[in-house]
Amino acid sequence: MTVLGDGAPTLHDTGPVPGPGGWPVTYEQVATGNLPVVEQPAPLVPRLSAGLRLHGEYQGSGFTEPKYIARRGDGQVVQLSRLLYLVASSIDGVRDVETVAHRVSARFGREVSGENVRYLVENKLEPLGVTVPEGQESEEVDAPRSDLLLALKGHRVIFNERRTAKIARMFAWLHRPAVVVLVLVSALAMDVWLFGFFGAIEPVLEVLDQPVLILIVFGLTVASLVFHEFGHASACRYGGAHPGCIGCGLFLIWPSMYTDVTDVYRIGRAGRLRTDLGGVYFNVVFMLAMAGAYFVTGAQFFLAAVYLGHFEILEQLMPAVRLDGYYILGDLAGVPDLYGKIKPILLGLLPGDKGRAARKEVAGLKRSARTIVATWVLTMVPLLAGELGYALWNLPRILATMTRSLTEQIAGTGSAFVRGQVVEGLVGLIGCVMLLCPMAGVVYLSVKMTGRIFRAAKRSTAGRPLLRLTVCTVALAGLTGLSYAWVSGLTPQPLPKKPPIAPILQPGVSAQEPQPRHASRPGGPSSDDPSGGDSAVPPGAAATAGTAGPSGGPSATASGSAPASPGAPVSPSGKPSASQKTAPSSKDTAGHPVPPSSPSGATVGGSGPGSSPTPSESVLATPSESASPPPPPPSSAPPPSAAGSS
């Protein structure tokens, strides 16, 4: 604006000037009121991911700060702080960040702005898969999952949530205290009777003698596994939580079942322990039912199922892998993921920044929880490492023995089907599966462990070439030494072939103890020589070998060796035929070398069972030690040849 001489102001355009909101506008726009319309960005409206369930505070936690549990639609469970849980529970897909901030502030007790909520959503909840990224239409998220080595894989639902809820209501009364006491007292009385008076192994032996009974007991074992999961679901409902589905999957490579009881984290520690023990408790109930079936029917295979049920309970209580014992220990400590604490506890033993950061993470646990978890880690890590080293040292004998056993099993099962023995063949298929599962487990664990070790070494040596070279050198030296031990025979040799303990499970496999093959003299003839090696037998040794006299009977020797079996084929000269001689061998059933029977290599004893001489009996009979020669034959018969005499 410029002022003229007469004092009247003159208005003219001086260029763009700041307008409302800081946007530059011209004078004409202000004078005419034609201001530009600036569109403000729409406020962020956060959304939860598909299938997310908020379970609330983790009751009985072993952490100093309260933890809250949420479960994504893909089954991954995440732990949230109180503030993050309040933000997630205030998101409904309609409220924007400002409205969510007002709601969170009222519940949190401190002022939380919209910008604070936006930061928490974009930098905390989205990476965990709790909320959907801005601009994404679908509510499905691709969030990281915990790479658990000893976790269930390949889940398949058998009973959905609705059916599981009905099953849980049906059996919830079994968890009443009076019923529990009655069941445990009855189980104690059953075990005293079964193991102390009746004899628990007798029903098992009867089952092993009948292929059909093995299939029945196998079916009862599967039913026991299903009933085990009913125990978890009913205990979860009895404690006030809502059980999810019941399904199956692969644990390592073994088929296993599971029950979704994630909602149990919002009830107290006693309710979680009841849920953890519910499966084992229902195994006891199942065994009592089997014992009752025996008393009603008299069929002993029910008691065989009771005997096997004890091993199932012991297996479930092991805390080494993710079975019931692992979750029992975790709930006692108040830590839902014990394996997740192995790394920080081990790193906390190291000096430096990594050690301090790890110790700070573990410091979030209460003192009692730290003691339980640290004891478990320091016990399990050496145990797992020792088992891994022992398995690698014995890997050649494991593979050789399992390959030999699997080959015989497949051949015997196939021959059973060819002969029309359908039941034996089906039982043989069970044996094949039982052999294939451990072999597949060895391969699976080897691949997974190798990959994990390689990735860990690569991460820890990134940007440190000298350290990487040292690690590679040590690893190469270890593999070279282990390979040399495998090839040179320093590691234990495969087990010698033995008859099957349960022949029913291995049709077509010989159930007889392999007989030792006796060694012949070095360089001498063997039983495979069709000529019988007549010229190689020195005079006087034929009697030691069990030769027949002129009358066809065995001649006696002073060495006390076993005589040839009556009726054995005899050559015209009076010597035993090649089929009567003992085949040479260099090893006994234990794989140890067998010394020659005599300095001259003459074979002592017959080839039948029980004809192997003792060391005191394996003495070469000289002409002076032999018995008196047999009487001369009748005059009508030709005199025996020298080779046939004693």
Side-chain angles (χ1 to χ4, degrees), residues 58-70:
Y58 178 32
Q59 301 293 329
S61 171
F63 298 90
T64 55
E65 297 292 334
K67 297 291 183 180
Y68 293 78
I69 302 296

Side-chain angles (χ1 to χ4, degrees), residues 494-508:
L495 293 177
K497 178 175 170 42
K498 294 183 178 180
I501 299 177
I504 298 300
L505 288 174
Q506 297 179 264

Side-chain angles (χ1 to χ4, degrees), residues 197-216:
F197 297 94
F198 185 85
I201 201 64
E202 293 182 7
V204 177
L205 296 177
E206 180 178 337
V207 167
L208 293 178
D209 192 47
Q210 301 294 331
V212 176
L213 296 183
I214 292 181
L215 291 177
I216 295 176

Side-chain angles (χ1 to χ4, degrees), residues 198-415:
F198 185 85
I201 201 64
E202 293 182 7
V204 177
L205 296 177
E206 180 178 337
V207 167
L208 293 178
D209 192 47
Q210 301 294 331
V212 176
L213 296 183
I214 292 181
L215 291 177
I216 295 176
V217 172
F218 179 76
L220 292 176
T221 303
V222 174
S224 175
L225 294 176
V226 177
F227 197 66
H228 175 98
E229 302 305 326
F230 292 172
H232 290 306
S234 57
C236 179
R237 177 176 177 80
Y238 183 83
H242 300 287
C245 62
I246 295 176
C248 64
L250 292 178
F251 181 70
L252 299 180
I253 45 81
W254 291 101
S256 302
M257 298 190 66
Y258 70 92
T259 303
D260 179 10
V261 291
T262 310
D263 194 52
V264 79
Y265 284 116
R266 67 180 180 83
I267 64 178
R269 180 178 297 177
R272 292 201 306 273
L273 290 174
R274 182 190 299 110
T275 303
D276 297 335
L277 292 168
V280 172
Y281 171 63
F282 265 45
N283 284 133
V284 176
V285 175
F286 188 86
M287 289 190 297
L288 287 175
M290 293 297 99
Y294 163 74
F295 285 113
V296 172
T297 63
Q300 291 195 14
F301 64 82
F302 288 114
L303 296 182
V306 173
Y307 180 76
L308 296 177
H310 287 80
F311 290 97
E312 182 180 349
I313 291 176
L314 293 177
E315 178 188 11
Q316 288 290 337
L317 292 178
M318 291 177 57
V321 292
R322 296 178 185 273
L323 297 176
D324 291 352
Y326 171 83
Y327 294 102
I328 292 172
L329 183 62
D331 285 328
L332 285 174
V335 180
D337 185 15
L338 292 176
Y339 275 106
K341 300 303 176 185
I342 292 180
K343 182 178 179 180
I345 287 180
L346 294 180
L347 290 179
L349 302 177
L350 303 176
D353 296 336
K354 285 188 176 181
R356 284 193 294 270
R359 286 190 292 270
K360 184 178 179 181
E361 180 179 351
V362 180
L365 295 174
K366 298 177 181 177
R367 182 183 298 274
S368 59
R370 284 203 306 269
T371 302
I372 295 176
V373 176
T375 303
W376 180 81
V377 170
L378 296 179
T379 302
M380 292 307 305
V381 169
L383 180 60
L384 294 175
E387 290 181 351
L388 177 61
Y390 185 78
L392 289 176
W393 182 257
N394 289 273
L395 186 60
R397 73 185 309 204
I398 293 174
L399 295 179
T401 304
M402 294 177 69
T403 302
R404 181 189 65 197
S405 180
L406 181 62
T407 303
E408 294 179 351
Q409 179 75 16
I410 294 176
T413 302
S415 63

Side-chain angles (χ1 to χ4, degrees), residues 326-604:
Y326 171 83
Y327 294 102
I328 292 172
L329 183 62
D331 285 328
L332 285 174
V335 180
D337 185 15
L338 292 176
Y339 275 106
K341 300 303 176 185
I342 292 180
K343 182 178 179 180
I345 287 180
L346 294 180
L347 290 179
L349 302 177
L350 303 176
D353 296 336
K354 285 188 176 181
R356 284 193 294 270
R359 286 190 292 270
K360 184 178 179 181
E361 180 179 351
V362 180
L365 295 174
K366 298 177 181 177
R367 182 183 298 274
S368 59
R370 284 203 306 269
T371 302
I372 295 176
V373 176
T375 303
W376 180 81
V377 170
L378 296 179
T379 302
M380 292 307 305
V381 169
L383 180 60
L384 294 175
E387 290 181 351
L388 177 61
Y390 185 78
L392 289 176
W393 182 257
N394 289 273
L395 186 60
R397 73 185 309 204
I398 293 174
L399 295 179
T401 304
M402 294 177 69
T403 302
R404 181 189 65 197
S405 180
L406 181 62
T407 303
E408 294 179 351
Q409 179 75 16
I410 294 176
T413 302
S415 63
F417 280 113
V418 171
R419 294 191 302 268
Q421 300 173 344
V422 179
V423 176
E424 288 79 358
L426 292 176
V427 177
L429 288 179
I430 297 176
C432 291
V433 173
M434 294 170 64
L435 288 173
L436 282 172
C437 286
M439 295 181 70
V442 169
V443 174
Y444 172 80
L445 282 180
S446 300
V447 173
K448 293 290 289 185
M449 291 297 296
T450 302
R452 283 174 174 255
I453 293 174
F454 176 78
R455 290 191 297 268
K458 186 177 179 180
R459 287 194 304 266
S460 60
T461 59
R464 307 166 71 179
L466 183 59
L467 180 60
R468 176 167 294 184
L469 179 62
T470 303
V471 171
C472 292
T473 303
V474 173
L476 184 61
L479 290 176
T480 302
L482 190 60
S483 301
Y484 175 77
W486 289 345
V487 174
S488 62
L490 293 178
T491 56
Q493 297 301 312
L495 293 177
K497 178 175 170 42
K498 294 183 178 180
I501 299 177
I504 298 300
L505 288 174
Q506 297 179 264
V509 179
S510 176
Q512 295 182 356
E513 185 76 25
Q515 295 297 325
R517 301 176 63 193
H518 304 290
S520 62
R521 67 179 179 85
S526 65
S527 61
D528 297 332
D529 185 5
S531 65
D534 295 342
S535 61
V537 181
T544 309
T547 57
S551 62
S555 60
T557 62
S559 62
S561 59
S565 59
V570 181
S571 64
S573 61
K575 298 181 296 182
S577 63
S579 61
Q580 183 184 351
K581 297 181 181 180
T582 305
S585 175
S586 59
K587 292 183 180 293
D588 62 4
T589 56
H592 302 295
V594 178
S597 300
S598 63
S600 63
T603 304
V604 180

